[in-house]
Amino acid sequence: MQEAADKVDYENILVEHPADGVGLVRLNRPRTFNALTGPLMDELMTVLEQMDADDSIRCMIIAGTDRVFAAGADIGEMAQATPVELINKAFIARWERLQNLHKPVIAAVSGYALGGGCELALACDMIVASETAVFGQPEINLGVIPGAGGTQRLTRTIGKALAMEMVLNDRRLSADEAARFGLVNRVAPVDQYLDEAIKLASAIAARAPVAIRLAKDAVNMALETTLSAGLAYERNRFYVLFASEDQKEGMAAFLEKRDPNWQGK
Ligand code: CAA
């Protein structure tokens, strides 16, 4: 599967495997600030779904170039669209394919993450930013609102007051602000942010795969449900993991004072 993804020539993305167990997809439309066209999103989601099904990949990274992550949905592509065309093309429904991935996805953001670019990063599980990263939801300048999670994931992440300001008045966040408000996990210089993301992805890729999958699922459930339903969901997944070989191995390794050897079973 990994080889198959590597061999395909994509028009809008670059696919790499920078470390053991890590798949990296780079958005590659530099002349339009990585504006997210339908074909780009299709390529991105197809490759991520392939990586999700590939046993040799344990964690994925989405990055842009060092200059720009993505400046949002392609304005030229949608300027004259009708609602029916947008619905029929699943214009934004594509974004939602990201939330169905089982393995962790890290966004490595440098430069602008605007509109759909910010929403793409927000749909990932973690964000590593470069010092030049700028997060914003400028759709209001175009006479529209965010359509791929900018009013929902952003509000759940940074709270109502700041989300309102970003969505209603194009308030942009620097990398440091984004770190302070809990939008990003860490900030690094431009020449190091991608390595930082790869390091984080490698560390996660080396952990117990079944537990990682259920852990991601359980944390995401916190955004979807009530506390009591979420606690019950978490508890059930905790119990289920006692059916895995990795749970027996992890606890035996601790008691025997050795490193665990995860099988992903
Ligand atoms: N769509 C299409 N083309 C875009 C684009 C976008 N979102 N963002 C930038 N570009 C193109 C520009 O049209 C320009 O192309 P040409 O050279 O052919 O004229 C090129 O990229 C460079 O852009 P600028 O000349 O504007 O460069 P700049 O350095 O002055 O500004 C920028 C960069 C701040 C990113 C600015 O281009 C900008 O504000 N872009 C639009 C950002 C935006 O509004 N994003 C939201 C889109 S709507 C959305 O995403 C909906 C949703 O929720 C899913």
Side-chain angles (χ1 to χ4, degrees):
M1 190 79 77
Q2 180 173 325
E3 279 177 17
D6 284 348
K7 276 181 194 146
V8 179
D9 275 336
Y10 297 100
E11 276 180 36
N12 305 287
I13 58 172
L14 302 169
V15 179
E16 298 169 31
H17 295 91
D20 232 23
V22 178
L24 166 63
V25 187
R26 302 201 73 164
L27 312 178
N28 188 36
R29 295 187 72 226
R31 269 183 303 168
T32 55
F33 277 64
N34 284 339
L36 302 167
T37 58
L40 182 150
M41 290 305 291
D42 280 340
E43 287 186 359
L44 174 64
M45 293 307 163
T46 300
V47 170
L48 289 172
E49 284 165 359
Q50 284 172 357
M51 288 177 171
D52 204 43
D54 181 342
D55 286 344
S56 72
I57 304 270
R58 300 257 169 98
C59 189
M60 286 92 88
I61 300 172
I62 302 174
T65 64
D66 291 349
R67 193 168 69 109
V68 61
F69 181 69
D74 190 295
I75 299 167
E77 193 182 62
M78 68 185 152
Q80 299 303 325
T82 66
V84 172
E85 283 165 359
L86 295 177
I87 291 166
N88 284 344
K89 279 197 280 187
F91 189 70
I92 288 185
R94 286 185 185 92
W95 262 258
E96 297 309 316
R97 286 163 68 185
L98 199 56
Q99 78 179 26
N100 297 327
L101 300 175
H102 300 296
K103 295 173 186 170
V105 185
I106 296 170
V109 176
S110 189
Y112 289 116
L114 298 179
C118 186
E119 292 167 305
L120 182 62
L122 278 164
C124 295
D125 301 306
M126 283 167 275
I127 303 177
V128 174
S130 91
E131 287 167 348
T132 64
V134 177
F135 296 87
Q137 297 290 165
E139 287 90 342
I140 202 72
N141 301 331
L142 303 169
V144 290
I145 67 170
T151 67
Q152 302 301 303
R153 290 197 183 93
L154 187 66
T155 307
R156 282 167 164 77
T157 306
I158 62 173
K160 178 179 162 183
L162 193 52
M164 281 287 186
E165 206 179 334
M166 288 179 73
V167 173
L168 271 57
N169 203 30
D170 191 15
R171 161 89 149 86
R172 301 194 183 179
L173 300 184
S174 67
D176 285 340
E177 286 178 315
R180 199 159 4 110
F181 299 132
L183 191 77
V184 312
N185 293 71
R186 62 192 69 170
V187 179
V190 181
D191 60 354
Q192 289 167 31
Y193 79 100
L194 192 56
D195 286 343
E196 279 294 321
I198 294 167
K199 229 189 286 172
L200 179 60
S202 294
I204 292 168
R207 296 187 181 280
V210 186
I212 286 283
R213 181 175 172 152
L214 296 195
K216 164 175 168 156
D217 185 42
V219 172
N220 279 332
M221 187 52 71
L223 299 177
E224 299 280 353
T225 192
T226 62
L227 180 59
S228 52
L231 288 169
Y233 194 81
E234 175 191 84
R235 197 179 317 124
N236 282 334
R237 265 139 197 78
F238 176 78
Y239 293 152
V240 160
L241 280 167
F242 283 72
S244 72
E245 289 178 22
D246 284 350
Q247 175 269 325
K248 300 288 176 269
E249 166 64 9
M251 294 193 181
F254 176 84
L255 295 172
E256 292 160 18
K257 301 191 188 308
R258 61 173 174 83
D259 288 336
N261 179 15
W262 306 122
Q263 298 299 319
K265 293 180 186 165

